[in-house]
Amino acid sequence: MSEPVWITGIGLVSSLGEGVEPHLAALRAPDAKPVVDAASFAPFPIHPLPSLALDAQIPKKGDQRQMEPWQRLGTYAAGLALDHAGARGLAGEMHLLVAAGGGERDVALDEAICRELAALPPGEAGPLLNERLANGLRPTLFLAQLSNLLAGNISIVHGVTGSSRTFMGEESAAADAVRIATARLAEGRGETALVGGAYAAGRWDMLLLFSPSGGLLRGDWVPLAGRPGGGMVTGSLGAFLVLETARHARARGARGLAAISAVRNGAARRRGGDTARASALALAEGLPLRPGHAVFSGASGVAGALEEERAFLGTLTEAGPVRFTTDLLGHGMEASFPANLALAALALQAGLVPQALVTGFGLWRGEALAVLEPVGEEAEG
């Protein structure tokens, strides 16, 4: 019989603010308004980073300076989670599982190289490109692109020195991180884990990467329901969870916010009959869902994935209300799945919903489902 796993700490930073209070307030208010920056990266609206007092979670200025914005955001959110769980003293034995992208590009260098290349005949562009990349990218700058630096910074700043794993692959990376962390604890291979990710939306490199596919919303922000053709609005998100076996949490007098009764993920080819909807339906078989369960959808807004997720949600005949969390937070790539788990846990702990199904359909590949229960009602076995 497996050990129940609880969420005992939440570290959440979004455009709404930091910590539990602003996000719980947004869950309680049916007319909660998002924070949107439509000017800085026009024509693409984004949900921006809030102002953070970094010293509170990253006390050394040298540590702050050597991190990119997304690393500072993730390290900050990880500290919030440890504080919320009262788990600073457990950091030395805690597993660390991080979902991360490949780092941020030097946009100024990219633009300078492109300007030089545009003025040259095609045959001369290759040698100049090689020269500029060799001389313009310092070794330290190149190393700053490594995805596992977020985990390294969390270990250094917060002393989390158990086993460490970093996952890449946008939303599905985070689902894998949560699934594996939960399974390890449930099987007795550890008592605590810190799991999550971070994404900074104010990045021209990523916006220009997504834009050619037509995946981004242009112009004025509208809710997901008002985007019949889809359209993603990226959101700055830092989301970390402290997971703990119920036995360990009880022994130290910690309260559980929610119990994780299932985490499943897959990766449909999204060709022919191997659709995201079919993948999600297979994942949903046998889930311990009760009539009236709330749905926290991580739908990104990208057209194809959005259609597939809406089709899957239409099969949930016994579901209660569906909350498209991207309306408030935007889509935060690797941070989206743990952020939605955090919101669902807060809603359960506050008694706003009886049970929660969290969904996540990746932009290109990857489908994930998780079921959260009120503490004391988790399924065992």
Side-chain angles (χ1 to χ4, degrees):
M1 183 173 290
S2 64
E3 174 69 19
V5 176
W6 291 356
I7 298 173
T8 58
I10 289 172
L12 188 55
V13 180
S14 76
S15 56
L16 297 178
E18 65 173 88
V20 167
E21 288 75 15
H23 296 96
L24 185 56
L27 289 173
R28 293 182 184 277
D31 57 347
K33 302 297 183 185
V35 177
V36 179
D37 177 358
S40 297
F41 298 88
F44 310 117
I46 68 164
H47 298 267
L49 267 175
S51 177
L52 299 176
L54 292 173
D55 292 358
Q57 294 295 342
I58 312 173
K60 293 183 179 179
K61 297 294 186 182
D63 289 339
Q64 295 177 23
R65 284 193 297 270
Q66 64 86 27
M67 296 185 204
E68 295 173 333
W70 72 281
Q71 294 170 16
R72 289 194 289 269
L73 175 58
T75 304
Y76 192 94
L80 291 179
L82 292 171
D83 287 341
H84 190 229
R88 289 281 178 181
L90 306 175
E93 64 189 59
M94 191 174 284
H95 296 304
L96 177 60
L97 298 95
V98 173
E104 299 181 16
R105 293 190 63 85
D106 186 336
V107 175
L109 177 61
D110 288 346
E111 290 176 342
I113 293 173
C114 287
R115 281 194 297 269
E116 288 187 89
L117 296 179
L120 294 177
E124 299 179 22
L128 179 65
L129 177 60
N130 288 335
E131 178 187 347
R132 292 292 181 266
L133 290 177
N135 297 328
L137 292 177
R138 304 184 311 276
T140 52
L141 176 62
F142 177 76
L143 289 174
Q145 311 309 307
L146 295 179
S147 56
N148 58 13
L149 280 184
L150 176 54
N153 282 311
I154 291 171
S155 295
I156 292 168
V157 173
H158 300 305
V160 180
T161 53
S163 67
S164 177
R165 291 168 176 80
T166 294
F167 301 78
M168 291 185 71
E170 296 175 344
E171 305 93 327
S172 59
D176 262 336
V178 174
R179 176 180 59 81
I180 291 170
T182 303
R184 287 178 63 83
L185 299 189
E187 293 166 5
R189 291 184 288 164
E191 299 286 3
T192 62
L194 179 65
V195 56
Y199 182 78
R203 294 175 54 182
W204 272 117
D205 58 329
M206 294 303 293
L207 293 171
L208 294 177
L209 177 66
F210 292 132
S211 177
S213 68
L216 294 177
L217 181 70
R218 291 171 175 259
D220 294 335
W221 179 92
V222 293
L224 203 60
R227 308 174 206 170
M232 179 173 66
V233 179
T234 57
S236 296
L237 275 177
F240 274 83
L241 308 171
V242 173
L243 307 185
E244 201 166 342
T245 63
R247 176 183 60 248
H248 188 272
R250 289 190 184 104
R252 72 181 186 93
R255 65 171 184 170
L257 305 173
I260 302 177
S261 61
V263 184
R264 299 176 181 177
N265 66 319
R269 293 183 181 273
R270 301 190 179 181
R271 294 197 299 267
D274 189 13
T275 64
R277 177 189 180 188
S279 174
L281 285 169
L283 294 173
E285 286 188 22
L287 282 179
L289 294 172
R290 300 192 296 272
H293 62 272
V295 178
F296 289 77
S297 167
S300 63
V302 170
L306 178 60
E307 292 165 6
E308 290 286 272
E309 181 157 0
R310 280 174 168 161
F312 167 70
L313 294 177
T315 68
L316 302 176
T317 56
E318 295 187 323
V322 177
R323 187 71 176 259
F324 291 100
T325 58
T326 188
D327 282 344
L328 285 175
L329 306 182
H331 189 66
M333 307 304 161
E334 294 84 5
S336 286
F337 195 69
N340 287 324
L341 286 171
L343 293 178
L346 291 177
L348 279 165
Q349 201 269 334
L352 302 178
V353 299
Q355 185 190 43
L357 171 67
V358 177
T359 70
F361 281 49
L363 307 184
W364 324 120
R365 297 260 320 252
E367 301 78 42
L369 304 175
V371 179
L372 298 188
E373 312 274 1
V375 167
E377 299 181 24
E378 66 271 12
E380 297 187 9

